[in-house]
Amino acid sequence: MPKPKPAPLPANTTGLAGLDRVLHGVRAGDNIVWEIEDIAEYRELVAPYAQAAQDAGRHLVYFRFANHPALLPDSIQAEICEVYPSRGFENFVRDVHAVIERAGCGANYIFDCLSHLAEVWGSDQSLGNFFMLTCPRLRDLETVTYFGIYRDRHSIYALEPILHTTQFYLAAFHLHERLYVRPIKMRYRARGAFHTTHMRQGDAFLPVKESAVLAQILTHTQWPRLQSDRRVGFWRKLFDEAHTVARDHRAGLCPRERYDDLLRRVRWALRVHRSGLAPLVERFLTLDDFLLIRDRMIGIGAVGGKALGMLVARAILRARDPALAGRLEEHDSFFVGDEVFVTFLVRNGVWWLREQQKLPAFFLHDLEEGRQRIRHGKFPDFVLEQFRGMLDYFGESPYIVRSSSVLEDALGNAFSGKYESVFVVNRGTREQRLTALLHAVRRVYASVLDTEALEYRKRRGLLDSEERMALLIMRVSGAPQGRYYYPQAAGVGLSYNPFVWHPDIDPRAGVVRLVFGLGTRAVDRCDDDYTRLVALNAAQRRPEEDFDNARAHCQRRMDCLDLRRGEFVSRPFPEVIAEPLEFSLDPYITYSSDNYPWITFDRLLTETPVAADLRQMLALLEEVYEHPVDIEFTLNFLADGTYRIHLLQCRTFQFRRETGTMAPLAPDAHRRLLVAHGAVIGVSREQRLSRIVYVVTAAYAKLGESERYAVARLIGQINRLHSPDDRGLMLIGPGRWGTHSPSLGIPVSFAEISRAAVICEVVEMHERLIPDVSLGTHFFNDIVEHDMLYLAYFPRRNGNQIDTAWFTRAPNQLRSLIPEAKKLASVVRVIDCDAADGPIWLRADATTQESFVFQTK
């Protein structure tokens, strides 16, 4: 059977049908500027364009003026016009326009690479002026014209007039012998392809959607760096010298002493010495690493703890296990230096107001005024210029603006969840996208004045420490799937597992919490749903006792970005996967007998090396950190069947390991007030209790929502009245402590329970509630940092018991503590243990997952 002939190309065309579709057609009058790395890329694109013009019988004119090889193949018949920029700007313009006028309407043109003009004339402005004089006339004559310009060679004095004047500005580059095209400007065309990278495959140009692939492509190609400092100041002098030293070091021409000295100066400029990670930074980050930071940096100064933690963790894996590092998704993040934050505060009248936060007597004063000034603050022009450069790089890929303060993620001070992180869907015009970015940055800056963050700093003795907010801006890992954007899986990982629910589990192997979609459901306590908890040495061993319970506790909702509405959303899982998917659900889903999909991750954990990779990653990081670590990550499978793990964050995990087994409790020696066989998260202990706050389940269940919030505020008052030196406070209450939903528990903030030594969740508020949902969340990390013990009591589990008569009969000290709280005395009982008939003790064994509250005689 004869092969069908391809459809004829239109009269105006690039010569590549797939590229025509990306550009939504080529029209008479279009000027097309190709931004290239080398002349071979331009020749590859010129050849089909010239061939199509010849096939269509069009008049083709080639302006030849540069010293690079000729662009046209010998087979192409064209009018070759040699013009000479060495004769001066005026003569060159006159000669080119004479040819254009003679050729008249409807011709096709090819110009040599325009960068040669700036070299000859020694002026980017002259190049820009030539283009502004020539491009409109070519448009008026309904021509189609190709121009080339080298990437990263020109200042805004050339680029701005070209971008402003041309109809198309297209970036072309090669990676691994493939050609990629990225439209930067498409005037009067549909926006669908704008800033989307397309890969050439034959005559087709396929959009690249996966974040892992995009980051790899863009980080391995040249792009205009963000450095806006055009005058030579301290910062630019330092990094110009660093570039020279790094180049000489790679060539073996730089003495080690000079390299080490320059590296110390760069670390000082980035304020690494102020970070708790300084020793690891000195061991693992090279001068080339710092130069990459500088190229992607907005402003100057420190990049903060979260950014350094991510970079150091990746460098550790690069050094210790290159094969594992090769399976990481490349980050192409940007860093906003802390000096931008300081400048913003100074210029918007917030500096002196914020200074009073260092004084314990005033640290909560005037917060709303400060937040309002930040939310409406203005940025300097040089920062806005760099923000625009970053947006041009990201195109319309979603990103997240993350806090990375100087104090954040340091040893012992994680600031977990204390500062904002803001997703930006990043759609619309350039100015709309800039407005969305500035709104996100201001939100993160304003969170420095949040009450919870300041309370945390006060508890950790950090009020008088200089807290500066740097930012880490990261491409959102994942890909668009229909109207939604999300990674296939995400989670948190702990190198030490504090919840050993089965004898098969080795706590030293680590644990992860997995979710389908964005990882926000893994780090924030999602009251309406569940996650998959995975002990990394026994990945198939679930906390649930049987299949029915496992299915009942599967994830039902997922977080994602709605590209159509331009916002972060939580949606039922079946609703999201009803959209067209470009990946297989098989690793994540188990189907029931009636073909209903359940998120189980079973095949991911049993048929792929993902669990082994995560275990190895956590083990290596803990070994180097010499401390348990906590990571955040995403996971995506690519079209070729391989996967990429995106390591988003790494910090120390302040958990004390078990040091030995406890002797068994004598069965008849004590009066048992509470016996719980369930979750025990924390270090085993036996300690005397001084006070128990007991929330009566039946009474609490009768309260309305506003009254339940009143209970939470009351517990906060009790907490503040308890001596911070007394570590004998235990809280017992129904449902989840720290919930956002009063229907599922007690909606306290961590500050309202910060002086407790033990919290116990009575699993009665929600029939499907399981306690391990908080493992790895911001709430859980606060518990860990304060060495609290977390217990769960299941009323219906065999062997569990609670002496409700004793708890309701014991004298209630609430009225004497807070007289105005008498209306809630039937709900909240404050029991002073020293006033009881005998000492009251807590005994909790994390190894056996058993806990007891008992009274000695």
Side-chain angles (χ1 to χ4, degrees):
M1 189 175 187
K3 187 177 180 180
K5 293 182 179 180
L9 291 167
N12 292 308
T13 176
T14 63
L16 297 166
L19 184 55
D20 287 348
R21 285 191 289 272
V22 170
L23 303 182
H24 299 276
V26 176
R27 305 172 189 172
D30 280 343
N31 292 277
I32 301 174
V33 177
W34 288 102
E35 183 187 85
I36 56 173
E37 182 61 26
D38 60 54
I39 205 64
E41 289 166 346
Y42 191 28
R43 293 180 72 188
E44 182 177 341
L45 293 157
V46 163
Y49 164 73
Q51 185 66 56
Q54 179 172 284
D55 293 345
R58 299 176 68 89
H59 183 193
L60 180 63
V61 179
Y62 174 25
F63 281 109
R64 187 81 173 98
F65 51 82
N67 55 10
H68 58 64
L71 299 173
L72 291 182
D74 293 338
S75 59
I76 299 297
Q77 300 298 313
E79 179 185 351
I80 300 177
C81 298
E82 294 189 3
V83 284
Y84 302 97
S86 58
R87 296 181 60 219
F89 173 82
E90 290 83 359
N91 286 326
F92 184 82
V93 171
R94 192 177 302 115
D95 292 344
V96 167
H97 279 253
V99 174
I100 291 171
E101 296 303 326
R102 186 178 70 248
C105 292
N108 282 48
Y109 288 90
I110 299 166
F111 279 73
D112 271 350
C113 183
L114 297 178
S115 298
H116 182 74
L117 301 179
E119 292 176 9
V120 174
W121 295 332
S123 170
D124 274 355
Q125 286 174 293
S126 294
L127 169 56
N129 289 334
F130 166 75
F131 194 86
M132 291 189 72
L133 290 170
T134 306
C135 175
R137 185 55 182 155
L138 291 168
R139 178 171 176 77
D140 291 344
L141 293 172
E142 298 184 340
T143 70
V144 176
T145 305
Y146 266 30
F147 300 93
I149 188 169
Y150 286 129
R151 182 178 299 111
D152 207 15
R153 300 275 186 95
H154 300 283
S155 69
I156 60 171
Y157 303 115
L159 294 177
E160 282 191 354
I162 292 174
L163 277 164
H164 176 75
T165 311
T166 190
Q167 285 71 53
F168 286 103
Y169 192 94
L170 310 173
F173 46 88
H174 278 89
L175 183 66
H176 305 318
E177 300 183 354
R178 285 189 177 275
L179 176 69
Y180 294 87
V181 172
R182 188 181 192 218
I184 304 299
K185 178 182 179 182
M186 295 171 58
R187 182 177 288 178
Y188 311 128
R189 302 298 200 271
R191 294 187 49 79
F194 183 67
H195 274 295
T196 299
T197 299
H198 294 76
M199 177 183 69
R200 183 179 181 181
Q201 190 166 307
D203 282 343
F205 281 77
L206 306 178
V208 179
K209 298 179 180 180
E210 298 89 349
S211 64
V213 181
L214 279 171
Q216 182 184 35
I217 292 169
L218 295 178
T219 54
H220 284 78
T221 58
Q222 294 297 311
W223 58 281
R225 305 320 192 211
L226 293 182
Q227 299 160 20
S228 67
D229 41 346
R230 297 181 186 129
R231 298 184 182 180
V232 180
F234 168 78
W235 194 265
R236 181 170 172 182
K237 285 180 182 177
L238 175 65
F239 280 93
D240 283 349
E241 184 181 355
H243 274 286
T244 301
V245 169
R247 182 195 62 215
D248 292 347
H249 178 70
R250 288 191 295 271
L253 303 175
C254 177
R256 186 72 203 190
E257 295 78 11
R258 185 185 180 203
Y259 179 88
D260 290 342
D261 175 67
L262 202 285
L263 188 53
R264 280 191 293 269
R265 288 160 56 198
V266 167
R267 288 197 297 256
W268 184 89
L270 285 161
R271 306 295 188 263
V272 169
H273 57 281
R274 294 194 57 204
S275 168
L277 291 173
L280 291 176
V281 172
E282 292 173 10
R283 285 176 61 190
F284 289 97
L285 292 189
T286 67
L287 189 55
D288 283 322
D289 290 324
F290 285 110
L291 290 172
L292 289 174
I293 293 172
R294 175 63 184 130
D295 283 341
R296 310 186 73 89
M297 195 167 182
I298 294 166
I300 62 173
V303 297
K306 190 171 291 181
L308 283 178
M310 182 266 291
L311 294 168
V312 165
R314 286 170 171 269
I316 290 170
L317 297 179
R318 178 182 66 196
R320 296 298 178 90
D321 192 336
L324 178 57
R327 291 191 287 279
L328 293 182
E329 179 174 331
E330 295 196 43
H331 86 90
D332 55 350
S333 308
F334 289 83
F335 311 91
V336 182
D338 69 337
E339 292 288 352
V340 176
F341 173 70
V342 173
T343 301
F344 181 85
L345 295 186
V346 170
R347 295 195 179 193
N348 290 285
V350 187
W351 176 261
W352 293 114
L353 186 153
R354 183 173 169 271
E355 276 291 283
Q356 73 183 12
Q357 264 75 59
K358 296 181 179 180
L359 305 173
F362 300 98
F363 79 107
L364 295 180
H365 287 205
D366 302 321
L367 297 186
E368 185 55 32
E369 179 185 349
R371 287 191 289 260
Q372 285 297 325
R373 291 184 187 181
I374 290 174
R375 288 174 189 141
H376 297 93
K378 297 186 182 301
F379 290 88
D381 288 343
F382 66 87
V383 172
L384 294 177
E385 178 186 335
Q386 291 188 290
F387 277 148
R388 290 187 180 98
M390 182 191 72
L391 290 175
D392 288 344
Y393 174 89
F394 276 144
E396 292 192 339
S397 291
Y399 58 85
I400 181 171
V401 180
R402 309 186 73 189
S403 66
S404 182
S405 79
V406 172
L407 297 179
E408 201 168 355
D409 284 5
L411 184 64
N413 301 305
F415 281 81
S416 184
K418 297 299 178 288
Y419 297 137
E420 286 263 23
S421 291
V422 182
F423 285 101
V424 182
V425 176
N426 195 27
R427 290 294 193 271
T429 66
R430 195 175 188 229
E431 286 308 307
Q432 288 171 331
R433 293 187 298 118
L434 178 63
T435 298
L437 168 63
L438 299 182
H439 175 71
V441 170
R442 293 185 187 108
R443 272 185 60 185
V444 179
Y445 280 176
S447 67
V448 171
L449 298 183
D450 281 354
T451 302
E452 184 81 5
L454 289 165
E455 291 276 11
Y456 179 89
R457 288 179 59 191
K458 184 173 186 291
R459 289 195 303 271
R460 309 300 290 179
L462 298 172
L463 273 184
D464 60 348
S465 298
E466 188 176 12
E467 175 64 312
R468 293 175 168 221
M469 180 61 74
L471 301 175
L472 175 61
I473 303 180
M474 308 183 80
R475 184 193 302 274
V476 178
S477 178
Q481 311 293 339
R483 70 181 286 177
Y484 299 112
Y485 186 104
Y486 53 88
Q488 296 165 29
V492 295
L494 310 177
S495 64
Y496 182 80
N497 183 358
F499 180 27
V500 180
W501 65 83
H502 191 274
D504 290 348
I505 294 170
D506 179 1
R508 294 167 299 179
V511 61
V512 299
R513 293 181 72 229
L514 280 173
V515 296
F516 191 82
L518 291 173
T520 42
R521 299 188 83 76
V523 297
D524 294 327
R525 200 162 197 205
C526 297
D527 301 312
D528 58 348
D529 210 357
Y530 302 94
T531 63
R532 177 70 193 266
L533 197 64
V534 183
L536 289 175
N537 76 303
Q540 294 175 283
R541 182 70 66 182
R542 299 184 64 123
E544 301 83 14
E545 296 173 347
D546 52 44
F547 175 75
D548 288 339
N549 270 318
R551 187 171 65 178
H553 296 115
C554 284
Q555 179 185 347
R556 287 170 166 77
R557 297 178 66 84
M558 60 179 289
D559 293 347
C560 50
L561 302 179
D562 188 329
L563 300 176
R564 194 175 302 169
R565 295 177 58 180
E567 61 186 11
F568 171 94
V569 295
S570 294
R571 292 283 184 266
F573 163 70
E575 177 183 319
V576 177
I577 65 169
E579 290 284 311
L581 301 181
E582 298 190 20
F583 68 97
S584 172
L585 288 170
D586 290 346
Y588 314 108
I589 304 300
T590 299
Y591 291 91
S592 62
S593 56
D594 59 355
N595 209 36
Y596 187 84
W598 299 94
I599 301 174
T600 63
F601 299 102
D602 285 347
R603 293 184 64 181
L604 176 75
L605 298 169
T606 60
E607 299 179 11
T608 77
V610 166
D613 277 353
L614 290 170
R615 180 177 179 178
Q616 171 74 351
M617 184 183 300
L618 288 164
L620 285 172
L621 293 172
E622 178 177 311
E623 178 187 351
V624 174
Y625 270 77
E626 298 180 345
H627 202 285
V629 296
D630 164 6
I631 66 170
E632 294 179 16
F633 64 91
T634 65
L635 175 75
N636 293 285
F637 278 85
L638 304 180
D640 62 4
T642 62
Y643 60 82
R644 296 290 182 271
I645 298 172
H646 199 345
L647 182 55
L648 304 171
Q649 182 172 320
C650 180
R651 60 190 172 198
T652 53
F653 171 46
Q654 305 303 312
F655 203 84
R656 291 192 294 118
R657 295 181 173 90
E658 288 293 311
T659 56
T661 58
M662 301 181 71
L665 185 69
D668 300 319
H670 315 287
R671 176 174 183 172
R672 303 186 183 200
L673 306 178
L674 183 147
V675 179
H677 300 274
V680 177
I681 302 178
V683 177
S684 299
R685 66 193 69 181
E686 183 170 294
Q687 69 173 88
R688 187 166 175 174
L689 298 176
S690 59
R691 175 174 286 170
I692 298 174
V693 177
Y694 177 75
V695 181
V696 182
T697 299
Y700 187 78
K702 295 177 182 177
L703 299 179
E705 183 173 295
S706 62
E707 293 170 305
R708 292 184 180 187
Y709 279 112
V711 168
R713 303 295 84 77
L714 175 59
I715 291 170
Q717 288 181 270
I718 298 168
N719 179 73
R720 286 190 292 274
L721 292 171
H722 191 78
S723 170
D725 299 323
D726 180 355
R727 295 291 292 162
L729 174 62
M730 181 176 185
L731 308 177
I732 305 174
R736 295 175 178 167
W737 289 93
T739 178
H740 297 299
S741 174
S743 63
L744 297 178
I746 304 172
V748 290
S749 67
F750 184 79
E752 292 172 316
I753 62 170
S754 60
R755 296 182 182 178
V758 188
I759 61 172
C760 177
E761 295 186 345
V762 180
V763 187
E764 286 189 317
M765 289 295 294
H766 192 311
E767 64 179 6
R768 293 193 297 107
L769 187 71
I770 57 174
D772 53 48
V773 290
S774 67
L775 193 63
T777 63
H778 299 319
F779 181 81
F780 174 75
N781 288 342
D782 279 332
I783 292 173
V784 166
E785 279 196 341
H786 286 75
D787 195 26
M788 287 186 188
L789 190 68
Y790 171 93
L791 311 175
Y793 173 75
F794 294 83
R796 299 175 185 84
R797 184 168 292 180
N798 289 338
N800 285 3
Q801 65 184 60
I802 187 168
D803 190 344
T804 54
W806 185 90
F807 282 104
T808 54
R809 188 178 63 247
N812 188 354
Q813 303 298 321
L814 178 65
R815 293 184 184 181
S816 60
L817 277 176
I818 306 173
E820 63 272 21
K822 61 182 179 180
K823 290 183 180 180
L824 292 174
S826 63
V827 181
V828 179
R829 301 189 61 77
V830 180
I831 301 167
D832 281 342
C833 299
D834 292 339
D837 296 338
I840 297 174
W841 294 78
L842 165 77
R843 180 188 176 87
D845 191 332
T847 302
T848 62
Q849 292 289 290
E850 295 178 317
S851 52
F852 305 87
V853 176
F854 58 91
Q855 187 175 37
T856 59
K857 300 295 184 182

